[in-house]
Amino acid sequence: MEALTALVENGKKAQWALMAQLQPFVESAVESAHKVVSAEVSPNGQPVLDITGREHVVTTLMFGDDDNTDGSSIVLNLLGRCKTPGTFIKVDPWMYMRKAISSAAESAIRRSINDPHIGRKVRRVAEEIGTRDVEAVLVEYNKRYPNDRLAKKRALAALNAGSDAMATWSPLPEVSPLSERV
């Protein structure tokens, strides 16, 4: 029984050691995904998330949401899949993990700004037809991609996706001194 307990403890330590080694890559993947999404979504490539928002994405990918009852830690789930026999028969382990983490990072950034998964396609259609009018975009999009069943709510979310309020700075309006306002 002691040997089994020691084996379980060593397994937990190894898992946390591997997570610690993966964290710099997760941080890098989030930064790369942030640049891609910012260039696509916001004018002039303005950041869509501030540093705190990006750190939150990293933490969520590494450890899951606040309560982590839904198994939302992408990295922990990935490590679980890696332990499954046969996972790496036809794929390089590092490539497998790199692609999964990069994809999850981009999805998490998009979720953070409420960009639906088809947002990129919706914005491309809007650009091609030369209007951001939601009704016109809906008609054209549903003509091109009838199986997507795009509704107004997702179309609006895609067309309105942009920078988080904390990601960019805005000048404050000048306020006259109190003595002038009285």
Side-chain angles (χ1 to χ4, degrees):
M1 187 66 171
E2 287 179 31
L4 182 58
T5 303
L7 186 63
V8 169
E9 270 310 305
N10 287 339
K12 286 180 184 178
K13 287 178 185 175
Q15 179 174 318
W16 287 110
L18 183 54
M19 285 187 67
Q21 290 178 337
L22 285 174
Q23 185 163 352
F25 178 75
V26 172
E27 291 168 350
S28 174
V30 167
E31 288 301 319
S32 295
H34 181 256
K35 287 177 185 172
V36 167
V37 173
S38 293
E40 175 198 327
V41 171
S42 68
N44 303 323
Q46 294 175 343
V48 293
L49 293 175
D50 65 346
I51 187 68
T52 305
R54 295 191 305 270
E55 287 172 354
H56 178 73
V57 170
V58 169
T59 301
T60 301
L61 291 174
M62 292 292 296
F63 306 107
D65 289 333
D66 294 337
D67 60 357
N68 199 25
T69 56
D70 63 351
S72 59
S73 169
I74 299 300
V75 173
L76 284 173
N77 290 339
L78 180 60
L79 292 179
R81 286 194 315 257
C82 289
K83 292 186 279 186
T84 304
T87 300
F88 302 120
I89 290 176
K90 293 184 179 183
V91 67
D92 172 57
W94 180 236
M95 185 178 77
Y96 178 83
M97 294 174 74
R98 192 174 69 230
K99 283 189 175 218
I101 291 170
S102 295
S103 174
E106 185 173 335
S107 294
I109 297 274
R110 290 183 188 285
R111 242 185 338 274
S112 294
I113 62 168
N114 298 317
D115 186 22
H117 71 280
I118 59 169
R120 179 182 295 148
K121 284 172 35 179
V122 173
R123 287 185 294 277
R124 186 174 53 233
V125 168
E127 185 178 318
E128 288 172 5
I129 65 172
T131 184
R132 291 182 73 88
D133 174 63
V134 72
E135 298 299 332
V137 172
L138 267 172
V139 169
E140 183 61 28
Y141 185 95
N142 285 323
K143 251 194 278 182
R144 294 183 189 188
Y145 309 103
N147 292 335
D148 285 359
R149 297 183 182 142
L150 179 65
K152 191 172 186 175
K153 184 177 178 181
R154 282 196 304 165
L156 279 170
L159 293 172
N160 291 326
S163 294
D164 178 71
M166 299 299 289
T168 57
W169 66 274
S170 299
L172 294 174
E174 288 189 34
V175 178
S176 60
L178 185 58
S179 60
E180 291 179 16
R181 288 189 269 162
V182 178

